[in-house]
Amino acid sequence: DVKVTQSSRYLVKRTGEKVFLECVQDMDHENMFWYRQDPGLGLRLIYFSYDVKMKEKGDIPEGYSVSREKKERFSLILESASTNQTSMYLCASSRTGTNEKLFFGSGTQLSVL
Amino acid sequence: GQNIDQPTEMTATEGAIVQINCTYQTSGFNGLFWYQQHAGEAPTFLSYNVLDGLEEKGRFSSFLSRSKGYSYLLLKELQMKDSASYLCAASNQAGTALIFGKGTTLSVSS
């Protein structure tokens, strides 16, 4: 079964901490994405990557950075966590192409206190 | 710019038919996706339309009109397990990533 795995299901961090969210896919997909999902706002794209060491900003990149050192792994970094970054974070991957469907991980519910 | 609109909530009863509408405005259109998301779970792919018309897949069908910037998801013979959020998505301006609508929460009652 194909899989996108996010390292933590729930995470609690303090304001100002540096936070790493990890995502690994086993489908040899070129594209990987980070979204956050908030009630009433839906899924919003933070960053994506279409190749190793490549990254593109999504709609809400402020306060985040990403790292893609290996094809299967895409990390989201909160440099200095803030309470407004409390959210559900969803990682997804897809093959190269404009009509390829996304496969999502189970999500990480991050609470910043 | 880009914008995807869909109703926030809908209710229906078991066995009924429901239509969830989605309108979109995006200059990098490469097709329209529908995803289903049960509470506490990840979204899963339902359908993809790139040409005008209706695509049928069992109890679920999806329709697209490119000239009108309009799509709908049709669910027939509703079951309780169809209670979920339904997300409409289209390509961003550059055609490099999917942008999602805010989702329609469907509640199916007996």
Side-chain angles (χ1 to χ4, degrees):
Chain A
D1 219 5
V2 294
K3 257 192 160 179
V4 179
T5 303
Q6 294 184 230
S7 53
S8 305
R9 186 73 178 93
Y10 298 96
L11 212 51
V12 180
K13 295 292 180 181
R14 296 207 174 274
T15 304
E17 277 192 80
K18 190 168 185 175
V19 181
F20 293 86
L21 302 183
E22 307 287 348
C23 176
V24 177
Q25 50 96 3
D26 66 0
M27 295 167 280
D28 201 35
H29 283 170
E30 291 79 15
N31 302 334
M32 296 189 76
F33 307 83
W34 276 106
Y35 291 86
R36 63 178 282 179
Q37 187 171 32
D38 301 284
L41 296 177
L43 278 162
R44 293 180 291 165
L45 181 63
I46 305 171
Y47 265 98
F48 61 102
S49 167
Y50 49 86
D51 202 352
V52 176
K53 297 195 186 294
M54 304 299 288
K55 61 183 180 183
E56 294 280 342
K57 291 180 180 178
D59 295 323
I60 51 164
E62 298 78 18
Y64 303 95
S65 62
V66 289
S67 171
R68 190 152 181 217
E69 296 295 319
K70 293 184 177 180
K71 189 176 185 180
E72 66 271 18
R73 186 180 295 269
F74 192 35
S75 303
L76 180 69
I77 304 154
L78 286 68
E79 297 290 343
S80 177
S82 63
T83 54
N84 63 12
Q85 292 178 309
T86 291
S87 185
M88 170 66 79
Y89 289 88
L90 287 160
C91 175
S93 71
S94 74
R95 294 184 300 186
T96 295
T98 52
N99 60 350
E100 295 295 331
K101 63 185 179 185
L102 297 181
F103 291 85
F104 283 89
S106 299
T108 296
Q109 178 61 53
L110 173 67
S111 297
V112 182
L113 306 177
Chain B
Q2 48 197 40
N3 195 42
I4 300 176
D5 282 320
Q6 50 183 131
T8 305
E9 291 180 340
M10 298 184 73
T11 59
T13 52
E14 266 188 308
I17 299 174
V18 71
Q19 178 175 311
I20 303 174
N21 296 324
C22 171
T23 58
Y24 64 88
Q25 294 171 323
T26 171
S27 54
F29 185 75
N30 285 310
L32 196 291
F33 291 80
W34 284 96
Y35 285 79
Q36 180 190 57
Q37 185 178 26
H38 284 101
E41 297 181 12
T44 55
F45 171 80
L46 278 180
S47 68
Y48 170 71
N49 294 66
V50 66
L51 300 176
D52 285 0
L54 189 68
E55 295 270 349
E56 297 189 71
K57 235 191 246 185
R59 293 189 300 113
F60 291 11
S61 304
S62 55
F63 171 84
L64 177 67
S65 168
R66 294 178 69 124
S67 60
K68 294 181 180 176
Y70 168 69
S71 172
Y72 67 72
L73 182 69
L74 192 71
L75 293 77
K76 302 176 189 173
E77 301 168 19
L78 279 173
Q79 302 174 10
M80 299 291 284
K81 67 178 182 179
D82 297 329
S83 293
S85 284
Y86 292 87
L87 313 177
C88 175
S91 297
N92 63 357
Q93 213 157 357
T96 51
L98 281 187
I99 302 301
F100 286 81
K102 294 178 182 177
T104 299
T105 300
L106 173 66
S107 300
V108 180
S109 58
S110 55

